[in-house]
Amino acid sequence: DTEVTQTPKHLVMGMTNKKSLKCEQHMGHRAMYWYKQKAKKPPELMFVYSYEKLSINESVPSRFSPECPNSSLLNLHLHALQPEDSALYLCASSQDEASGGDSYEQYFGPGTRLTVT
Amino acid sequence: QKEVEQNSGPLSVPEGAIASLNCTYSDRGSQSFFWYRQYSGKSPELIMFIYSNGDKEDGRFTAQLNKASQYVSLLIRDSQPSDSATYLCAVTTGNQFYFGTGTSLTVIP
């Protein structure tokens, strides 16, 4: 089973709203990721969690706030977003975070299509 | 120079033909290589991964890695219209996972 689930599938929010995206995996993976993808572009890495600790933050604005409550769950809290933040938000997981000579394939969830009005 | 480069296409092949997708990478120390398929509006789906020089086959798909020349390719045999999608190459270097910009493939019935 290589399933990563994400909720909601679609989200429309105003610039003053606060909302959260949720991601879950039950593969025992120790690394989880948030990506942002705009149309016709590759996914852009936002955050990496390894063993429930934030490992990488790719200089993401503070209006995006990640949280890893446990090894299976990853949240992305959204506040005061801008219209240019509208995109497909992808969660992924892998057995472990790549390091040195070891690297692991990432499995993606179906994504949340976010529209900021 | 980008870490991972792909020809954006579009690449068009007739049904039943072999589709050949190519990817080059800049860091000679890159250790792992992945191919993802992404249908329009959907998330990336892992097709193949390859770590060692040579070929790796899985059904109609073959990944080829040449570390000396720093390229990795994906061959799709007996292409089907359902293979029409964007194919993303991804490379791991150290603890970084880099995506190419993707190649759009259209299989014409």
Side-chain angles (χ1 to χ4, degrees), chain B residues 8-103:
Chain B
S8 61
L11 174 66
S12 294
V13 299
E15 184 174 355
I18 295 175
S20 178
L21 305 160
N22 297 311
C23 172
T24 59
Y25 58 96
S26 61
D27 193 323
R28 195 168 285 278
S30 298
Q31 64 262 40
S32 302
F33 308 87
F34 307 88
W35 283 101
Y36 287 84
R37 176 176 63 197
Q38 187 170 25
Y39 294 112
S40 181
K42 303 294 185 182
S43 64
E45 174 192 7
L46 181 68
I47 299 175
M48 299 277 296
F49 55 88
I50 186 167
Y51 302 143
S52 305
N53 271 331
D55 295 0
K56 180 181 179 182
E57 187 175 317
D58 184 1
R60 295 187 296 113
F61 299 98
T62 299
Q64 299 175 317
L65 175 60
N66 184 323
K67 288 190 175 182
S69 301
Q70 294 176 233
Y71 82 79
V72 56
S73 61
L74 179 70
L75 301 178
I76 307 175
R77 290 182 299 282
D78 188 23
S79 295
Q80 300 297 309
S82 59
D83 294 325
S84 298
T86 295
Y87 289 80
L88 295 162
C89 172
V91 172
T92 303
T93 305
N95 68 344
Q96 296 291 320
F97 198 88
Y98 297 101
F99 278 98
T101 52
T103 298

Side-chain angles (χ1 to χ4, degrees), chain A residues 5-64:
Chain A
T5 59
Q6 289 186 244
T7 56
K9 289 184 179 163
H10 301 275
L11 178 62
V12 179
M13 60 186 290
M15 290 189 284
T16 58
N17 291 157
K18 286 184 181 180
K19 296 286 184 183
S20 296
L21 309 183
K22 297 186 184 303
C23 174
E24 189 167 7
Q25 57 87 15
H26 292 288
M27 296 178 278
H29 287 177
R30 309 310 300 189
M32 295 185 76
Y33 310 80
W34 280 115
Y35 288 88
K36 172 183 176 181
Q37 188 177 26
K38 300 282 252 184
K40 301 192 185 302
K41 298 289 186 182
E44 295 175 43
L45 183 65
M46 300 175 72
F47 302 104
V48 180
Y49 272 82
S50 178
Y51 290 84
E52 302 168 45
K53 289 186 169 31
L54 184 63
S55 172
I56 294 177
N57 176 342
E58 290 288 357
S59 302
V60 178
S62 60
R63 57 186 183 268
F64 296 92

